[in-house]
Amino acid sequence: TKLIMQMGVSNFDELAVSNALVRPGAMDTVGASYLARKEGREQTTYIHEIMRPYTEETYGLIIYQEQVMQACVYLAGMSWLEADKVREIIGKKKDVHEFDAFKDRFVEGARKHISKKAAEKLWHDFEAHAGYSFNKSHAVGYSMLTYWMAYLKYYYPIEFMCAVLSNETDKDS
């Protein structure tokens, strides 16, 4: 709730981003920049114009696992299979060292569009994603539940509370 109020969520896409940003570590890495860019306190920049269509809704920042995959494919020229393996490492919160097998491939491919230093920094950001990154489909699903729960709670508070209080979680009784 605090993040939603701080963000000034005004549409469903922003609600989905808020769900991704509340993951452990996200606010420490991209969250502050997202808020600053959204509020106009920081300029929105893109890694490269190739990435604009994939990061425009997140102010040029890579927040979702799918955006990591898109960077691997469109920026670094990796295959979708390789990108999915990178996503799997992130999604399963596996050991960051598993990224090592893909780092050189990513940096060399991305150097066609950005500097080696920028590619290495981006890869370092991906390593940080292993601790928190969320996929967009889950963020959208959670946001849909959040929206409907808030709607019901606001417009039908008595019915909502009755449903909550009468919901039995112990199926053995």
Side-chain angles (χ1 to χ4, degrees), residues 48-112:
H48 187 276
E49 280 300 308
I50 289 172
M51 291 301 296
R52 181 186 287 264
Y54 313 109
T55 60
E56 202 158 26
E57 73 175 317
T58 55
Y59 299 96
L61 299 167
I62 292 179
I63 293 175
Y64 300 117
Q65 291 175 11
E66 290 87 346
Q67 292 171 312
V68 171
M69 291 178 67
Q70 290 162 330
C72 288
V73 171
Y74 298 118
L75 187 66
M78 296 169 71
S79 72
W80 280 107
L81 180 62
E82 291 170 308
D84 190 50
K85 288 179 182 178
V86 171
R87 181 213 49 83
E88 185 179 339
I89 293 167
I90 291 169
K92 304 265 190 248
K93 293 173 182 42
K94 294 184 176 183
D95 185 359
V96 178
H97 299 294
E98 292 186 42
F99 279 111
D100 294 344
F102 299 97
K103 181 179 180 178
D104 290 339
R105 171 86 169 89
F106 178 84
V107 171
E108 288 306 311
R111 283 187 60 201
K112 294 174 185 156

Side-chain angles (χ1 to χ4, degrees), residues 21 25-35 61-63 125 129 132:
L21 288 177
M27 283 305 292
D28 298 333
T29 53
V30 293
S33 236
Y34 177 87
L35 291 173
L61 299 167
I62 292 179
I63 293 175
D125 292 346
H129 275 252
Y132 73 84

